[in-house]
Amino acid sequence: MENGEKRFRSLSALLMIALLGVGAWALSLRAERDQLALAVGTRYQQAFQFLLDGVDNMEANLAKVAVASGPGDQIPLLTEIWRDAGMAQTSIGQLPLPVGRMMRTSTFLAQAGDYAYSLVRQIARGTVPDDEARRQLAELSQEAGKLASELHGVFERAQADGPSGWMELQRAAARGLTASVGGALGDGLGRVETHLEEVPTLTYDGPFSDHITERKPRGLSGDEVSEAEAEAIVRRFLPAADREGYRVEVTDRVQGRIPGYHVAVRREGEAGAVYTLDVARQGGAVVWMNSSRRVEENRLDREAMREKAEAFARERMEDTDLVAVDSIGSQGRTTFTLVPKVDGVLIYPDMIKVTVAADNGEILQYDAQSYLMNHTERKLEKPELEEEEARRRLPPDFEPRGEGRLALIPTEGLREVLTYEYRGTVDETAFIIFVNASSGQIEEILQVVPTSEGEVAR
C-alpha cells in the first residue's frame, strides 16, 4: 500500500513538473511572439515615419520652389523634391499593405517627383519654369500638405494602437483583402486614398504625366471585329506552315489599353496551345504572338535569323520598310527590334519586336504593342542642322562609327524629337548618342553593354 502511495506521489510530482515545464514553455513562446510582434510593429512604424518625413519635406520644398527666384535656387529644391518623393514611395513598399491599398498615394508621389525631375532637366537646358509650372507646383504643394495632414492622423492612431495595429494590417494583407483591411489603421489609410481621388490632372513632359498614363492607342483604326473574325485573322497571321491542321479559338476577352481577344492555337486532338495571341477588338490588328516551344540547338547565324524576322514582319505590315536596329539572343532565341524607315528617318516610337528560333528559323514571338500605341500619320520636318554640324556637337572624346542617321525618338513625356543617331565609343566603351536635329542639344545617351545574350543599350 505504501509503495502504491509513493508511486502515486512520484507520478503526481512528475506530472506537476511537466505541467510547470509546459506552462513555462508556453509563456516563453508567448514572450517570443510578443517580442517578435513588437519588433515587426516597430519596423513598420519606422517605415511609416520615413513616409511621413518624405511627404513633409516634399510639401515644404514644393512651397519654396514655387517662389524661388532663379535656377540657382530652383534646382537644389527640385532635386530634393525628387529625392523625398522617391524615399516616400520606397517606404510605402515596406508597409504591410493589402493589394491595391495606397496605390493613389504612390502614384501621386511618383508624379510629383517625376515632375520635379522634368523641371530640373528643363532648367538645365536653359528654360526657366513659366507661370503654368509655378501654378502646378503650388497645387502640388497644397495637395502634399493635405496628404501630410491625413498621414499625421494615421501616424497618431498607429502610435496609440502600438504593434497590434500593424499586425492586424499584416494579417489582412496575408489574407489578400483589398477593399477592407479592418482596424482603425486600415480605415485611416483608406481615407487617405479617398482624398487623393480629387487630385487635379498633372500634364508635363515625363513618364508619369496624366496624358501618358491615360492615353489611348493611336495605331488602331477600323470597326470592331467579332470573335469569328479574330480567329480568321489569327489563321492568316500564322506562319504559312502552321495554317492547316490547327484549331484556332478565342478563349478570353482582354481589357487594358488595347482591348482585344485572347486566342489559342492548338493542334487537333491536343490540349496544349502551340501559339497564343492577342487581337485588338478595334480593327483586328495582332497585338502580340507567343510560342513556348523550346529550341534545342543553334543552327542559324544572326544574319540568317535577321532576314527571317524582317521577312515575317514585312509580309504582315505591307507598305512598311522595316529595319533591324538591335538584337539580343538567349536559349536559342534571338529577338530583333525592327523600326519603320520613312523618308530616310528611323521611327523609333513605332518599333516592333520579332523573335526567331535558331534551330529552324521559326517565328516564336511577335510584339507590336509599341507600334499600335504610337503609330500615326506624321509630317516629318526637315532637319535644321546638317549632319556635319550635328557631328560637331558630339562630346570631344566620343569617336562616332560612320555618319549620323536621322531618327525620330520619343521623350519621357512622349513628345517626338527628330535627331541624328550616332554609334561609337569612348575609349573601349560603346555608346549611342542622339543629337537634336534642330537645336544641336544631346537628347539621349545610351550605353551599349555586352552580355552573354548580346549587346544591350541602356
Side-chain angles (χ1 to χ4, degrees), residues 364-392:
L364 299 177
Q365 292 176 327
Y366 169 89
D367 184 351
Q369 294 180 79
S370 181
Y371 180 89
L372 295 174
M373 289 300 297
N374 298 303
H375 178 66
T376 186
E377 293 296 325
R378 298 176 175 89
K379 182 181 179 182
L380 296 173
E381 302 291 338
K382 295 291 184 183
E384 294 184 20
L385 298 180
E386 296 292 334
E387 190 274 331
E388 294 84 355
E389 175 62 23
R391 178 186 292 264
R392 286 197 288 270

PDB file of all heavy atoms in Angstrom, residues 364-392:
ATOM      1  N   LEU A 364       8.883  32.763 -83.235  1.00  0.00           N
ATOM      2  CA  LEU A 364       8.358  32.333 -81.944  1.00  0.00           C
ATOM      3  C   LEU A 364       7.584  33.431 -81.224  1.00  0.00           C
ATOM      4  O   LEU A 364       6.658  33.136 -80.457  1.00  0.00           O
ATOM      5  CB  LEU A 364       9.506  31.861 -81.040  1.00  0.00           C
ATOM      6  CG  LEU A 364      10.318  30.676 -81.564  1.00  0.00           C
ATOM      7  CD1 LEU A 364      11.460  30.367 -80.607  1.00  0.00           C
ATOM      8  CD2 LEU A 364       9.429  29.456 -81.751  1.00  0.00           C
ATOM      9  N   GLN A 365       7.944  34.674 -81.452  1.00  0.00           N
ATOM     10  CA  GLN A 365       7.256  35.783 -80.783  1.00  0.00           C
ATOM     11  C   GLN A 365       7.167  36.990 -81.718  1.00  0.00           C
ATOM     12  O   GLN A 365       8.036  37.203 -82.565  1.00  0.00           O
ATOM     13  CB  GLN A 365       7.986  36.197 -79.499  1.00  0.00           C
ATOM     14  CG  GLN A 365       7.935  35.155 -78.390  1.00  0.00           C
ATOM     15  CD  GLN A 365       8.753  35.561 -77.188  1.00  0.00           C
ATOM     16  OE1 GLN A 365       9.782  36.214 -77.304  1.00  0.00           O
ATOM     17  NE2 GLN A 365       8.307  35.157 -76.006  1.00  0.00           N
ATOM     18  N   TYR A 366       6.093  37.740 -81.500  1.00  0.00           N
ATOM     19  CA  TYR A 366       5.863  38.969 -82.263  1.00  0.00           C
ATOM     20  C   TYR A 366       5.204  39.944 -81.302  1.00  0.00           C
ATOM     21  O   TYR A 366       4.245  39.589 -80.602  1.00  0.00           O
ATOM     22  CB  TYR A 366       4.950  38.670 -83.442  1.00  0.00           C
ATOM     23  CG  TYR A 366       4.411  39.879 -84.186  1.00  0.00           C
ATOM     24  CD1 TYR A 366       5.106  40.441 -85.257  1.00  0.00           C
ATOM     25  CD2 TYR A 366       3.185  40.447 -83.840  1.00  0.00           C
ATOM     26  CE1 TYR A 366       4.612  41.532 -85.948  1.00  0.00           C
ATOM     27  CE2 TYR A 366       2.673  41.535 -84.523  1.00  0.00           C
ATOM     28  CZ  TYR A 366       3.391  42.085 -85.579  1.00  0.00           C
ATOM     29  OH  TYR A 366       2.887  43.161 -86.260  1.00  0.00           O
ATOM     30  N   ASP A 367       5.723  41.176 -81.218  1.00  0.00           N
ATOM     31  CA  ASP A 367       5.189  42.160 -80.274  1.00  0.00           C
ATOM     32  C   ASP A 367       5.056  43.502 -80.983  1.00  0.00           C
ATOM     33  O   ASP A 367       6.048  44.140 -81.339  1.00  0.00           O
ATOM     34  CB  ASP A 367       6.121  42.290 -79.071  1.00  0.00           C
ATOM     35  CG  ASP A 367       5.573  43.228 -78.000  1.00  0.00           C
ATOM     36  OD1 ASP A 367       4.564  43.909 -78.245  1.00  0.00           O
ATOM     37  OD2 ASP A 367       6.158  43.271 -76.904  1.00  0.00           O
ATOM     38  N   ALA A 368       3.796  43.930 -81.195  1.00  0.00           N
ATOM     39  CA  ALA A 368       3.527  45.197 -81.878  1.00  0.00           C
ATOM     40  C   ALA A 368       2.865  46.217 -80.957  1.00  0.00           C
ATOM     41  O   ALA A 368       2.252  47.173 -81.421  1.00  0.00           O
ATOM     42  CB  ALA A 368       2.643  44.953 -83.102  1.00  0.00           C
ATOM     43  N   GLN A 369       3.001  46.039 -79.647  1.00  0.00           N
ATOM     44  CA  GLN A 369       2.315  46.943 -78.715  1.00  0.00           C
ATOM     45  C   GLN A 369       2.793  48.379 -78.853  1.00  0.00           C
ATOM     46  O   GLN A 369       1.985  49.314 -78.855  1.00  0.00           O
ATOM     47  CB  GLN A 369       2.511  46.436 -77.284  1.00  0.00           C
ATOM     48  CG  GLN A 369       1.833  45.101 -77.019  1.00  0.00           C
ATOM     49  CD  GLN A 369       2.032  44.629 -75.598  1.00  0.00           C
ATOM     50  OE1 GLN A 369       1.371  45.067 -74.670  1.00  0.00           O
ATOM     51  NE2 GLN A 369       2.970  43.717 -75.421  1.00  0.00           N
ATOM     52  N   SER A 370       4.117  48.574 -78.957  1.00  0.00           N
ATOM     53  CA  SER A 370       4.637  49.935 -79.104  1.00  0.00           C
ATOM     54  C   SER A 370       4.133  50.567 -80.400  1.00  0.00           C
ATOM     55  O   SER A 370       3.739  51.738 -80.427  1.00  0.00           O
ATOM     56  CB  SER A 370       6.171  49.913 -79.073  1.00  0.00           C
ATOM     57  OG  SER A 370       6.690  51.214 -79.190  1.00  0.00           O
ATOM     58  N   TYR A 371       4.134  49.790 -81.479  1.00  0.00           N
ATOM     59  CA  TYR A 371       3.659  50.291 -82.767  1.00  0.00           C
ATOM     60  C   TYR A 371       2.198  50.732 -82.672  1.00  0.00           C
ATOM     61  O   TYR A 371       1.828  51.826 -83.129  1.00  0.00           O
ATOM     62  CB  TYR A 371       3.810  49.200 -83.823  1.00  0.00           C
ATOM     63  CG  TYR A 371       3.344  49.610 -85.212  1.00  0.00           C
ATOM     64  CD1 TYR A 371       4.220  50.210 -86.107  1.00  0.00           C
ATOM     65  CD2 TYR A 371       2.026  49.408 -85.623  1.00  0.00           C
ATOM     66  CE1 TYR A 371       3.809  50.604 -87.374  1.00  0.00           C
ATOM     67  CE2 TYR A 371       1.599  49.794 -86.881  1.00  0.00           C
ATOM     68  CZ  TYR A 371       2.493  50.387 -87.755  1.00  0.00           C
ATOM     69  OH  TYR A 371       2.062  50.777 -89.000  1.00  0.00           O
ATOM     70  N   LEU A 372       1.354  49.897 -82.071  1.00  0.00           N
ATOM     71  CA  LEU A 372      -0.079  50.197 -82.010  1.00  0.00           C
ATOM     72  C   LEU A 372      -0.376  51.361 -81.065  1.00  0.00           C
ATOM     73  O   LEU A 372      -1.341  52.094 -81.265  1.00  0.00           O
ATOM     74  CB  LEU A 372      -0.855  48.955 -81.584  1.00  0.00           C
ATOM     75  CG  LEU A 372      -0.806  47.792 -82.587  1.00  0.00           C
ATOM     76  CD1 LEU A 372      -1.482  46.555 -82.008  1.00  0.00           C
ATOM     77  CD2 LEU A 372      -1.454  48.192 -83.914  1.00  0.00           C
ATOM     78  N   MET A 373       0.443  51.545 -80.047  1.00  0.00           N
ATOM     79  CA  MET A 373       0.231  52.668 -79.137  1.00  0.00           C
ATOM     80  C   MET A 373       0.669  53.994 -79.758  1.00  0.00           C
ATOM     81  O   MET A 373       0.096  55.040 -79.454  1.00  0.00           O
ATOM     82  CB  MET A 373       1.008  52.445 -77.836  1.00  0.00           C
ATOM     83  CG  MET A 373       0.457  51.350 -76.940  1.00  0.00           C
ATOM     84  SD  MET A 373      -1.256  51.635 -76.381  1.00  0.00           S
ATOM     85  CE  MET A 373      -1.067  53.141 -75.428  1.00  0.00           C
ATOM     86  N   ASN A 374       1.663  53.970 -80.661  1.00  0.00           N
ATOM     87  CA  ASN A 374       2.287  55.222 -81.114  1.00  0.00           C
ATOM     88  C   ASN A 374       2.084  55.564 -82.581  1.00  0.00           C
ATOM     89  O   ASN A 374       2.225  56.724 -82.966  1.00  0.00           O
ATOM     90  CB  ASN A 374       3.796  55.164 -80.836  1.00  0.00           C
ATOM     91  CG  ASN A 374       4.119  55.046 -79.370  1.00  0.00           C
ATOM     92  OD1 ASN A 374       3.706  55.882 -78.578  1.00  0.00           O
ATOM     93  ND2 ASN A 374       4.842  54.009 -78.994  1.00  0.00           N
ATOM     94  N   HIS A 375       1.783  54.581 -83.431  1.00  0.00           N
ATOM     95  CA  HIS A 375       1.772  54.846 -84.866  1.00  0.00           C
ATOM     96  C   HIS A 375       0.674  55.831 -85.255  1.00  0.00           C
ATOM     97  O   HIS A 375      -0.475  55.737 -84.819  1.00  0.00           O
ATOM     98  CB  HIS A 375       1.564  53.555 -85.649  1.00  0.00           C
ATOM     99  CG  HIS A 375       1.491  53.782 -87.123  1.00  0.00           C
ATOM    100  ND1 HIS A 375       2.567  54.226 -87.865  1.00  0.00           N
ATOM    101  CD2 HIS A 375       0.447  53.654 -87.990  1.00  0.00           C
ATOM    102  CE1 HIS A 375       2.205  54.356 -89.123  1.00  0.00           C
ATOM    103  NE2 HIS A 375       0.937  54.021 -89.240  1.00  0.00           N
ATOM    104  N   THR A 376       1.046  56.778 -86.075  1.00  0.00           N
ATOM    105  CA  THR A 376       0.102  57.753 -86.608  1.00  0.00           C
ATOM    106  C   THR A 376       0.716  58.369 -87.864  1.00  0.00           C
ATOM    107  O   THR A 376       1.908  58.204 -88.134  1.00  0.00           O
ATOM    108  CB  THR A 376      -0.192  58.861 -85.566  1.00  0.00           C
ATOM    109  OG1 THR A 376      -1.219  59.720 -86.051  1.00  0.00           O
ATOM    110  CG2 THR A 376       1.048  59.699 -85.283  1.00  0.00           C
ATOM    111  N   GLU A 377      -0.112  59.061 -88.635  1.00  0.00           N
ATOM    112  CA  GLU A 377       0.419  59.784 -89.793  1.00  0.00           C
ATOM    113  C   GLU A 377       1.194  60.995 -89.299  1.00  0.00           C
ATOM    114  O   GLU A 377       0.666  61.814 -88.560  1.00  0.00           O
ATOM    115  CB  GLU A 377      -0.716  60.210 -90.709  1.00  0.00           C
ATOM    116  CG  GLU A 377      -1.426  59.051 -91.394  1.00  0.00           C
ATOM    117  CD  GLU A 377      -0.506  58.293 -92.347  1.00  0.00           C
ATOM    118  OE1 GLU A 377       0.354  58.945 -92.979  1.00  0.00           O
ATOM    119  OE2 GLU A 377      -0.630  57.056 -92.445  1.00  0.00           O
ATOM    120  N   ARG A 378       2.454  61.105 -89.687  1.00  0.00           N
ATOM    121  CA  ARG A 378       3.305  62.190 -89.203  1.00  0.00           C
ATOM    122  C   ARG A 378       3.767  63.064 -90.366  1.00  0.00           C
ATOM    123  O   ARG A 378       4.007  62.562 -91.459  1.00  0.00           O
ATOM    124  CB  ARG A 378       4.549  61.639 -88.499  1.00  0.00           C
ATOM    125  CG  ARG A 378       4.258  60.808 -87.259  1.00  0.00           C
ATOM    126  CD  ARG A 378       5.566  60.244 -86.710  1.00  0.00           C
ATOM    127  NE  ARG A 378       5.388  59.544 -85.467  1.00  0.00           N
ATOM    128  CZ  ARG A 378       5.105  58.240 -85.372  1.00  0.00           C
ATOM    129  NH1 ARG A 378       4.964  57.524 -86.479  1.00  0.00           N
ATOM    130  NH2 ARG A 378       4.961  57.659 -84.204  1.00  0.00           N
ATOM    131  N   LYS A 379       3.908  64.328 -90.063  1.00  0.00           N
ATOM    132  CA  LYS A 379       4.532  65.241 -91.007  1.00  0.00           C
ATOM    133  C   LYS A 379       5.951  65.479 -90.514  1.00  0.00           C
ATOM    134  O   LYS A 379       6.177  66.218 -89.555  1.00  0.00           O
ATOM    135  CB  LYS A 379       3.764  66.555 -91.098  1.00  0.00           C
ATOM    136  CG  LYS A 379       4.352  67.520 -92.121  1.00  0.00           C
ATOM    137  CD  LYS A 379       3.573  68.827 -92.180  1.00  0.00           C
ATOM    138  CE  LYS A 379       4.200  69.786 -93.194  1.00  0.00           C
ATOM    139  NZ  LYS A 379       3.484  71.094 -93.238  1.00  0.00           N
ATOM    140  N   LEU A 380       6.915  64.815 -91.136  1.00  0.00           N
ATOM    141  CA  LEU A 380       8.302  64.910 -90.686  1.00  0.00           C
ATOM    142  C   LEU A 380       8.941  66.195 -91.195  1.00  0.00           C
ATOM    143  O   LEU A 380       8.955  66.460 -92.402  1.00  0.00           O
ATOM    144  CB  LEU A 380       9.097  63.693 -91.173  1.00  0.00           C
ATOM    145  CG  LEU A 380       8.642  62.337 -90.613  1.00  0.00           C
ATOM    146  CD1 LEU A 380       9.400  61.205 -91.299  1.00  0.00           C
ATOM    147  CD2 LEU A 380       8.845  62.289 -89.113  1.00  0.00           C
ATOM    148  N   GLU A 381       9.442  66.985 -90.253  1.00  0.00           N
ATOM    149  CA  GLU A 381      10.093  68.236 -90.615  1.00  0.00           C
ATOM    150  C   GLU A 381      11.509  67.961 -91.132  1.00  0.00           C
ATOM    151  O   GLU A 381      12.134  66.959 -90.780  1.00  0.00           O
ATOM    152  CB  GLU A 381      10.165  69.161 -89.393  1.00  0.00           C
ATOM    153  CG  GLU A 381       8.814  69.490 -88.778  1.00  0.00           C
ATOM    154  CD  GLU A 381       7.964  70.367 -89.676  1.00  0.00           C
ATOM    155  OE1 GLU A 381       8.559  71.055 -90.548  1.00  0.00           O
ATOM    156  OE2 GLU A 381       6.732  70.377 -89.511  1.00  0.00           O
ATOM    157  N   LYS A 382      11.995  68.858 -91.938  1.00  0.00           N
ATOM    158  CA  LYS A 382      13.370  68.763 -92.401  1.00  0.00           C
ATOM    159  C   LYS A 382      14.311  69.170 -91.262  1.00  0.00           C
ATOM    160  O   LYS A 382      14.018  70.087 -90.499  1.00  0.00           O
ATOM    161  CB  LYS A 382      13.606  69.690 -93.604  1.00  0.00           C
ATOM    162  CG  LYS A 382      12.818  69.294 -94.843  1.00  0.00           C
ATOM    163  CD  LYS A 382      13.340  67.994 -95.430  1.00  0.00           C
ATOM    164  CE  LYS A 382      12.620  67.645 -96.721  1.00  0.00           C
ATOM    165  NZ  LYS A 382      13.073  66.324 -97.254  1.00  0.00           N
ATOM    166  N   PRO A 383      15.449  68.498 -91.116  1.00  0.00           N
ATOM    167  CA  PRO A 383      16.387  68.883 -90.047  1.00  0.00           C
ATOM    168  C   PRO A 383      16.960  70.270 -90.305  1.00  0.00           C
ATOM    169  O   PRO A 383      17.308  70.606 -91.441  1.00  0.00           O
ATOM    170  CB  PRO A 383      17.474  67.800 -90.121  1.00  0.00           C
ATOM    171  CG  PRO A 383      17.390  67.260 -91.511  1.00  0.00           C
ATOM    172  CD  PRO A 383      15.934  67.357 -91.904  1.00  0.00           C
ATOM    173  N   GLU A 384      17.054  71.072 -89.258  1.00  0.00           N
ATOM    174  CA  GLU A 384      17.623  72.409 -89.400  1.00  0.00           C
ATOM    175  C   GLU A 384      19.151  72.354 -89.463  1.00  0.00           C
ATOM    176  O   GLU A 384      19.786  73.238 -90.042  1.00  0.00           O
ATOM    177  CB  GLU A 384      17.172  73.297 -88.235  1.00  0.00           C
ATOM    178  CG  GLU A 384      15.670  73.570 -88.239  1.00  0.00           C
ATOM    179  CD  GLU A 384      15.267  74.517 -87.132  1.00  0.00           C
ATOM    180  OE1 GLU A 384      16.149  75.241 -86.613  1.00  0.00           O
ATOM    181  OE2 GLU A 384      14.078  74.544 -86.776  1.00  0.00           O
ATOM    182  N   LEU A 385      19.723  71.325 -88.847  1.00  0.00           N
ATOM    183  CA  LEU A 385      21.177  71.166 -88.862  1.00  0.00           C
ATOM    184  C   LEU A 385      21.584  70.142 -89.911  1.00  0.00           C
ATOM    185  O   LEU A 385      20.923  69.117 -90.076  1.00  0.00           O
ATOM    186  CB  LEU A 385      21.695  70.714 -87.490  1.00  0.00           C
ATOM    187  CG  LEU A 385      21.468  71.631 -86.291  1.00  0.00           C
ATOM    188  CD1 LEU A 385      22.067  70.993 -85.041  1.00  0.00           C
ATOM    189  CD2 LEU A 385      22.077  72.999 -86.534  1.00  0.00           C
ATOM    190  N   GLU A 386      22.679  70.406 -90.593  1.00  0.00           N
ATOM    191  CA  GLU A 386      23.277  69.404 -91.455  1.00  0.00           C
ATOM    192  C   GLU A 386      23.986  68.372 -90.578  1.00  0.00           C
ATOM    193  O   GLU A 386      24.339  68.647 -89.425  1.00  0.00           O
ATOM    194  CB  GLU A 386      24.277  70.051 -92.417  1.00  0.00           C
ATOM    195  CG  GLU A 386      23.656  71.022 -93.402  1.00  0.00           C
ATOM    196  CD  GLU A 386      22.753  70.318 -94.411  1.00  0.00           C
ATOM    197  OE1 GLU A 386      22.977  69.105 -94.668  1.00  0.00           O
ATOM    198  OE2 GLU A 386      21.837  70.966 -94.933  1.00  0.00           O
ATOM    199  N   GLU A 387      24.210  67.191 -91.139  1.00  0.00           N
ATOM    200  CA  GLU A 387      24.824  66.118 -90.351  1.00  0.00           C
ATOM    201  C   GLU A 387      26.200  66.528 -89.825  1.00  0.00           C
ATOM    202  O   GLU A 387      26.559  66.228 -88.681  1.00  0.00           O
ATOM    203  CB  GLU A 387      24.920  64.849 -91.216  1.00  0.00           C
ATOM    204  CG  GLU A 387      25.315  63.591 -90.431  1.00  0.00           C
ATOM    205  CD  GLU A 387      26.819  63.424 -90.298  1.00  0.00           C
ATOM    206  OE1 GLU A 387      27.551  63.892 -91.195  1.00  0.00           O
ATOM    207  OE2 GLU A 387      27.263  62.835 -89.280  1.00  0.00           O
ATOM    208  N   GLU A 388      26.970  67.268 -90.636  1.00  0.00           N
ATOM    209  CA  GLU A 388      28.308  67.683 -90.202  1.00  0.00           C
ATOM    210  C   GLU A 388      28.244  68.596 -88.987  1.00  0.00           C
ATOM    211  O   GLU A 388      29.073  68.510 -88.077  1.00  0.00           O
ATOM    212  CB  GLU A 388      29.037  68.409 -91.350  1.00  0.00           C
ATOM    213  CG  GLU A 388      29.363  67.533 -92.542  1.00  0.00           C
ATOM    214  CD  GLU A 388      28.174  67.410 -93.506  1.00  0.00           C
ATOM    215  OE1 GLU A 388      27.097  67.931 -93.189  1.00  0.00           O
ATOM    216  OE2 GLU A 388      28.354  66.789 -94.570  1.00  0.00           O
ATOM    217  N   GLU A 389      27.203  69.492 -88.978  1.00  0.00           N
ATOM    218  CA  GLU A 389      27.044  70.403 -87.833  1.00  0.00           C
ATOM    219  C   GLU A 389      26.642  69.631 -86.580  1.00  0.00           C
ATOM    220  O   GLU A 389      27.142  69.883 -85.482  1.00  0.00           O
ATOM    221  CB  GLU A 389      26.009  71.473 -88.158  1.00  0.00           C
ATOM    222  CG  GLU A 389      25.672  72.418 -87.007  1.00  0.00           C
ATOM    223  CD  GLU A 389      26.865  73.228 -86.545  1.00  0.00           C
ATOM    224  OE1 GLU A 389      27.822  73.415 -87.328  1.00  0.00           O
ATOM    225  OE2 GLU A 389      26.852  73.669 -85.383  1.00  0.00           O
ATOM    226  N   ALA A 390      25.727  68.661 -86.732  1.00  0.00           N
ATOM    227  CA  ALA A 390      25.314  67.849 -85.587  1.00  0.00           C
ATOM    228  C   ALA A 390      26.501  67.050 -85.046  1.00  0.00           C
ATOM    229  O   ALA A 390      26.664  66.907 -83.828  1.00  0.00           O
ATOM    230  CB  ALA A 390      24.187  66.904 -85.995  1.00  0.00           C
ATOM    231  N   ARG A 391      27.353  66.572 -85.937  1.00  0.00           N
ATOM    232  CA  ARG A 391      28.510  65.787 -85.510  1.00  0.00           C
ATOM    233  C   ARG A 391      29.440  66.631 -84.632  1.00  0.00           C
ATOM    234  O   ARG A 391      30.047  66.131 -83.676  1.00  0.00           O
ATOM    235  CB  ARG A 391      29.260  65.284 -86.753  1.00  0.00           C
ATOM    236  CG  ARG A 391      30.517  64.482 -86.459  1.00  0.00           C
ATOM    237  CD  ARG A 391      31.242  64.179 -87.771  1.00  0.00           C
ATOM    238  NE  ARG A 391      30.445  63.246 -88.563  1.00  0.00           N
ATOM    239  CZ  ARG A 391      30.644  61.932 -88.557  1.00  0.00           C
ATOM    240  NH1 ARG A 391      31.606  61.416 -87.820  1.00  0.00           N
ATOM    241  NH2 ARG A 391      29.892  61.144 -89.284  1.00  0.00           N
ATOM    242  N   ARG A 392      29.537  67.936 -84.938  1.00  0.00           N
ATOM    243  CA  ARG A 392      30.416  68.807 -84.143  1.00  0.00           C
ATOM    244  C   ARG A 392      29.889  69.015 -82.725  1.00  0.00           C
ATOM    245  O   ARG A 392      30.630  69.479 -81.844  1.00  0.00           O
ATOM    246  CB  ARG A 392      30.579  70.155 -84.842  1.00  0.00           C
ATOM    247  CG  ARG A 392      31.491  70.096 -86.062  1.00  0.00           C
ATOM    248  CD  ARG A 392      31.955  71.483 -86.486  1.00  0.00           C
ATOM    249  NE  ARG A 392      30.888  72.254 -87.099  1.00  0.00           N
ATOM    250  CZ  ARG A 392      30.612  72.254 -88.412  1.00  0.00           C
ATOM    251  NH1 ARG A 392      31.356  71.527 -89.228  1.00  0.00           N
ATOM    252  NH2 ARG A 392      29.628  72.987 -88.890  1.00  0.00           N
TER     253      ARG A 392
END
